[in-house]
Amino acid sequence: MLNKPTAPIRERLIESERLMEETGCYDGITSLSLRNEDPLKFETLHTKLRAYCVSAREMARRISASPGVREVGEMVVAIYTPEGDAIALSNGIMVHVHTMSRFIKWMIRNGYEENPGIRDGDIFANNDAFIGTVQVPDVMDVMPIYHGDTLVGWAGAVCHELEAGGITPGGDVALAQERFTEGLFVCAEKVGENDELRRDYVIRCERNLRMPIYWVLDEKAKVASCIDMRESVKALIDEIGLDYWLKVSKEFIEEGRRAQLARTRQLTVPGKYRGHTFYGHVTAGKPGYQPLGDPDWLYNIPIEMEVGLDGKITMDFEGTQPWGYHSMNCTPAGMDGGMFVTLTQHMNFEGLVNDGAWMATELKLPHGTWTNPDNEMVATATSWALLLPAYGVFQRLLSRAFLGRGFVEEAFVGQVNSPMIEMGGMSQYGTPFGMAHFECAAAGSGALAIKDGLDTAYVGWNPESDMGNIEIWEQNMPMLYIGRSIVPNSGGAGKYRGGCAFESTWLINKTDHLRLVTSEHSSRVFDNGGMCGGYPAPTCQKHRAVRNSNVFELAEHGKPVAHAPGRNPHHSDFEVRFEGEFELVEGPYITAPHKSGDIFSHSYNGGGGYGDVLERDPVKTAWDVENGFLTKEAAASVFGIALADDAEGFPVADVEATERLRKRKRAERLEKAVPVSQWMAEQRERVQQADFAPEVRKMYASAMKLSPRFTREFVEFWDLPEGFRYDG
């Protein structure tokens, strides 16, 4: 066996993978001998490693000046085996634990041990998604851990940068349509030696970024965290011995793999589960987008999840669309990251999860699709736009498996997309700047099978979900908040409603040039569904702006201003309170720059609902109306709940009127109901005649062109003639 510390790293990696293939166990570990000999010592050591990671992350957050890291917690650190498999990790953006693993393995496979060499004190960095990350702003640093002359592991850290130097300012470069417009790439480079960043690397950052201070300080924070973990691991090895460390660190991973399989067997019913979601994008007439065919397009995301008798979870994306000239493509590394972060939130809550959990799963990513492009020049700057809907389906499929086993309390409708606002231009300090606004890290979650979803407190990509303090954001961008408010009716309806979103309104201040760009929101289709009769949440994103407003004049005379667009979709409060040039933009926002005195608003997404809307608690609904989560009109028209006002003017449930209203609504349902066979026949006629919107026809045509299996199943399901295809 070539697992001795003195063997070349590449040979050790190849041997480890061979043993996994032969035995089905990580590194060929068929027995957890150290755990069996002394389980208390085993668990204590694993907990220590977890503590090292958490401590290093918290220390690094104090070094970084980036509000994304300090306020929102967009950072994670982890400890790896010499071959690059995660042993332990901190809290934070756990999506990147396995992406860093891919980065380390990529360097090993590409001969980095010989050239440029791997030595104690070296610092390697990467943000290339085809090597191992999700998108350009996810910049990862790793450092080797040596004990004497022996490579015993790696320490790694990732921060999400708020500015990447792309064609549009910010980190998630919305307008990128190929790799060359995404920004500053660091492709598995040695960026430091002897625990110090190279000066030429820092200069490159300073000359290629709009706001390099955050990137550079985050680099120093990551290096500090890696050094901290490295020294902790070396001290631990001095305590327990090198041989014990090399064996126990791998047993931790094999234990993680077995624990994931066992938890899946416990919580789910084996079998095949299918789900589907869609993502729409409206770009017609917007500056900067390449006019390739129809500018408004639609992605279908069909997923088949198979749960094996052994507990292995396989996710198959067959039938999804090809990659495109847009920023929303993904890579296998990003797809792995989506799987990992979902597992850590949905099934592994104790914090001791590692790469073993990922090894208990499999992703089938068809070559040439947006999940696995056959062209490494495509852009991946906003890959979360498709990742989030996809793994929202995964969460709902898992929840169906939980319900089948009877674990109702584990069911969760899942995550939603989190639209992001990015900006650049001239700061309030008179200096060039660019940044992404990360208050999007606190949207509404899907409902649970036992309670409502979280309001303004959840996103799938960061389990800690913190929108950050208004005052900190105002220090870093030339905009002042004039309002932050709940968006009523933004949570999907159901017996338990989805969490509601919020909306921010800003006054552009002390700048004559501010470019605002938004991304990662679906248009005209639901990208997140409900469950068991629950409704999806609305996803149609509309931005409102007022140019050349009279806000300063109103403030000078003490007159009221609008703090939000308000509830009237046809005549906003902006139009009531302000004078100026009014804008209403659907979907991505990219227009002429703004300047001081302009007003801009941006809203986020709520989650899907669970259960029949006519079973919702009227008392809870009255509370929702009182607190602005729901309108009185929606309570009656959607939930069938009649509300009255008490003596003090607060809404209260009228139980008798609610019973009458719901009885009438159930009768209306029966009147509209048709047999499934009749509905299928009607829809089959539409399908055969391609009686769709152009975007839908184009969506199906591209899926059929790429996937024979999808075509066969589509034709068989709708009983269409052999050879049936759509043109487009």
Side-chain angles (χ1 to χ4, degrees):
M1 292 173 59
L2 295 169
N3 59 351
K4 296 179 181 179
T6 54
I9 309 171
R10 184 161 44 187
E11 292 182 21
R12 287 155 59 188
L13 173 59
I14 293 171
E15 177 68 1
S16 178
E17 292 175 339
R18 184 189 68 80
L19 291 169
M20 178 81 179
E21 182 71 22
E22 286 185 2
T23 65
C25 299
Y26 172 66
D27 208 55
I29 299 172
T30 57
S31 174
L32 301 177
S33 57
L34 297 181
R35 187 182 189 280
N36 295 335
E37 289 170 8
D38 193 340
L40 184 58
K41 179 180 180 181
F42 185 90
E43 294 299 334
T44 299
L45 289 176
H46 203 179
T47 303
K48 275 188 176 182
L49 291 175
R50 161 79 170 173
Y52 295 160
C53 294
V54 172
S55 175
R57 176 179 182 265
E58 292 307 305
M59 176 268 294
R61 287 183 66 188
R62 272 65 184 171
I63 295 174
S64 171
S66 165
V69 175
R70 289 184 67 111
E71 292 287 303
V72 182
E74 279 291 287
M75 183 180 187
V76 70
V77 303
I79 298 170
Y80 296 82
T81 66
E83 299 83 5
D85 297 304
I87 305 166
L89 56 137
S90 71
N91 53 321
I93 48 173
M94 291 177 282
V95 61
H96 292 294
V97 173
H98 189 70
T99 62
M100 268 195 289
S101 175
R102 278 183 171 267
F103 166 33
I104 295 169
K105 291 175 184 286
W106 192 93
M107 292 193 295
I108 293 172
R109 289 193 175 96
N110 281 273
Y112 274 49
E113 190 173 18
E114 294 80 29
N115 186 4
I118 299 173
R119 304 176 184 88
D120 195 13
D122 283 351
I123 306 165
F124 298 89
N126 178 67
N127 68 340
D128 188 328
F130 285 93
I131 291 174
T133 192
V134 179
Q135 50 188 166
V136 170
D138 298 323
V139 186
M140 50 186 62
D141 289 19
V142 297
M143 297 181 68
I145 304 174
Y146 280 88
H147 189 268
D149 295 330
T150 303
L151 179 66
V152 297
W154 297 80
V158 183
C159 291
H160 186 110
E161 298 306 323
L162 301 185
E163 158 54 23
I167 191 171
T168 49
D172 295 27
V173 182
L175 203 56
Q177 289 161 83
E178 54 184 347
R179 175 186 179 93
F180 312 105
T181 54
E182 290 189 82
L184 174 61
F185 274 99
V186 184
C187 304
E189 298 176 26
K190 183 184 284 192
V191 299
E193 298 172 307
N194 302 317
D195 295 348
E196 291 284 342
L197 292 168
R198 292 170 55 112
R199 179 62 184 145
D200 56 347
Y201 170 62
V202 174
I203 289 173
R204 180 149 62 97
C205 295
E206 291 172 346
R207 297 183 65 83
N208 285 278
L209 300 167
R210 295 176 178 88
M211 191 176 278
I213 183 173
Y214 291 147
W215 185 302
V216 174
L217 286 176
D218 280 351
E219 287 289 84
K220 294 180 178 181
K222 286 179 287 185
V223 171
S225 67
C226 288
I227 292 173
D228 189 55
M229 288 186 291
R230 181 189 70 192
E231 297 306 308
S232 295
V233 169
K234 289 167 64 175
L236 180 64
I237 294 174
D238 288 338
E239 176 186 335
I240 65 175
L242 178 58
D243 291 340
Y244 192 92
W245 163 258
L246 291 173
K247 188 172 182 181
V248 76
S249 58
K250 295 192 173 183
E251 278 200 20
F252 288 145
I253 297 174
E254 173 59 17
E255 183 200 38
R257 188 189 70 84
R258 296 183 185 190
Q260 174 63 41
L261 293 172
R263 184 171 281 114
T264 302
R265 292 195 302 270
Q266 175 191 17
L267 293 177
T268 67
V269 175
K272 290 186 178 181
Y273 301 78
R274 286 190 167 187
H276 215 126
T277 194
F278 301 88
Y279 184 91
H281 206 52
V282 176
T283 62
K286 299 192 176 183
Y289 287 93
Q290 296 184 31
L292 299 174
D294 192 335
D296 295 339
W297 49 264
L298 180 64
Y299 264 87
N300 72 313
I301 307 175
I303 297 176
E304 179 181 274
M305 180 185 79
E306 182 173 1
V307 179
L309 293 173
D310 61 351
K312 181 180 179 180
I313 297 174
T314 302
M315 288 266 287
D316 191 342
F317 285 80
E318 185 72 32
T320 195
Q321 251 94 348
W323 61 267
Y325 286 100
H326 52 72
S327 60
M328 302 175 190
N329 303 291
C330 198
T331 66
M335 299 301 292
D336 284 346
M339 171 70 87
F340 199 97
V341 74
T342 305
L343 289 176
T344 55
Q345 293 180 68
H346 217 50
M347 298 187 76
N348 301 286
F349 312 116
E350 75 284 349
L352 295 178
V353 64
N354 54 33
D355 252 341
W358 174 83
M359 293 172 186
T361 66
E362 180 183 358
L363 288 177
K364 293 184 178 180
L365 308 173
H367 199 47
T369 65
W370 65 268
T371 70
N372 186 12
D374 54 8
N375 179 355
E376 293 196 1
M377 299 301 106
V378 305
T380 62
T382 63
S383 51
W384 284 107
L386 297 179
L387 264 180
L388 284 166
Y391 283 99
V393 175
F394 178 44
Q395 288 173 312
R396 290 189 286 280
L397 295 179
L398 282 176
S399 293
R400 282 158 55 185
F402 297 157
L403 290 171
R405 185 65 80 180
F407 289 97
V408 178
E409 68 280 5
E410 300 291 343
F412 175 46
V413 174
Q415 64 197 17
V416 301
N417 239 317
S418 45
M420 176 174 281
I421 176 174
E422 301 180 89
M423 64 196 77
M426 193 62 64
S427 76
Q428 66 268 47
Y429 308 110
T431 57
F433 91 108
M435 67 175 292
H437 192 348
F438 254 79
E439 70 171 13
C440 62
S445 83
L448 290 82
I450 57 173
K451 62 179 181 179
D452 292 348
L454 297 173
D455 298 308
T456 68
Y458 177 82
V459 288
W461 40 268
N462 189 334
E464 296 180 28
S465 298
D466 192 324
M467 65 178 67
N469 291 308
I470 283 175
E471 295 80 5
I472 298 299
W473 294 120
E474 288 180 336
Q475 290 177 15
N476 292 276
M477 61 187 193
M479 302 202 296
L480 297 175
Y481 280 86
I482 57 175
R484 234 187 201 172
S485 57
I486 294 291
V487 180
N489 307 327
S490 57
K495 178 179 180 180
Y496 300 106
R497 65 165 175 81
C500 283
F502 70 100
E503 184 169 45
S504 290
T505 301
W506 297 275
L507 164 65
I508 284 76
N509 190 45
K510 295 183 179 179
T511 183
D512 59 1
H513 184 93
L514 177 65
R515 295 167 62 196
L516 295 174
V517 183
T518 69
S519 64
E520 300 182 28
H521 36 67
S522 186
S523 301
R524 302 182 186 175
V525 296
F526 300 114
D527 63 2
N528 61 90
M531 276 190 69
C532 299
Y535 294 2
T539 54
C540 184
Q541 174 70 267
K542 292 191 176 181
H543 296 92
R544 293 182 184 272
V546 186
R547 295 181 184 272
N548 301 311
S549 80
N550 63 335
V551 63
F552 293 127
E553 180 183 344
L554 293 174
E556 183 179 353
H557 292 89
K559 294 183 178 180
V561 300
H563 299 282
R567 297 183 178 182
N568 187 337
H570 307 293
H571 192 69
S572 73
D573 287 358
F574 290 175
E575 294 160 282
V576 174
R577 297 291 185 187
F578 296 125
E579 296 176 1
E581 303 160 20
F582 299 96
E583 288 183 351
L584 177 62
V585 177
E586 179 189 1
Y589 186 88
I590 176 168
T591 67
H594 285 275
K595 65 181 188 325
S596 294
D598 291 354
I599 308 294
F600 178 76
S601 71
H602 179 69
S603 62
Y604 301 93
N605 283 350
Y610 183 95
D612 189 346
V613 293
L614 298 185
E615 295 180 4
R616 182 156 181 81
D617 182 353
V619 175
K620 178 70 170 73
T621 300
W623 184 93
D624 278 347
V625 172
E626 178 182 342
N627 288 276
F629 295 94
L630 192 72
T631 61
K632 192 172 184 180
E633 295 77 13
S637 63
V638 178
F639 294 95
I641 295 174
L643 300 176
D645 292 338
D646 64 11
E648 298 179 350
F650 293 107
V652 294
D654 185 331
V655 177
E656 292 183 359
T658 295
E659 289 180 357
R660 292 193 299 270
L661 180 55
R662 285 181 163 175
K663 184 178 180 180
R664 186 166 68 248
K665 284 186 170 293
R666 289 189 173 96
E668 291 172 355
R669 286 181 175 180
L670 289 174
E671 290 175 3
K672 295 178 181 178
V674 296
V676 172
S677 58
Q678 178 184 333
W679 182 87
M680 288 287 291
E682 293 169 354
Q683 296 305 309
R684 180 185 179 279
E685 187 66 23
R686 286 191 62 201
V687 170
Q688 189 164 12
Q689 298 300 322
D691 183 17
F692 307 136
E695 294 82 5
V696 176
R697 186 168 58 252
K698 183 179 178 181
M699 173 191 74
Y700 282 131
S702 62
M704 287 179 164
K705 184 177 181 180
L706 192 64
S707 173
R709 194 185 92 186
F710 176 84
T711 304
R712 182 181 68 254
E713 292 177 352
F714 186 90
V715 169
E716 290 176 354
F717 180 85
W718 290 108
D719 191 23
L720 299 170
E722 186 176 348
F724 181 89
R725 298 290 187 278
Y726 290 120
D727 296 325

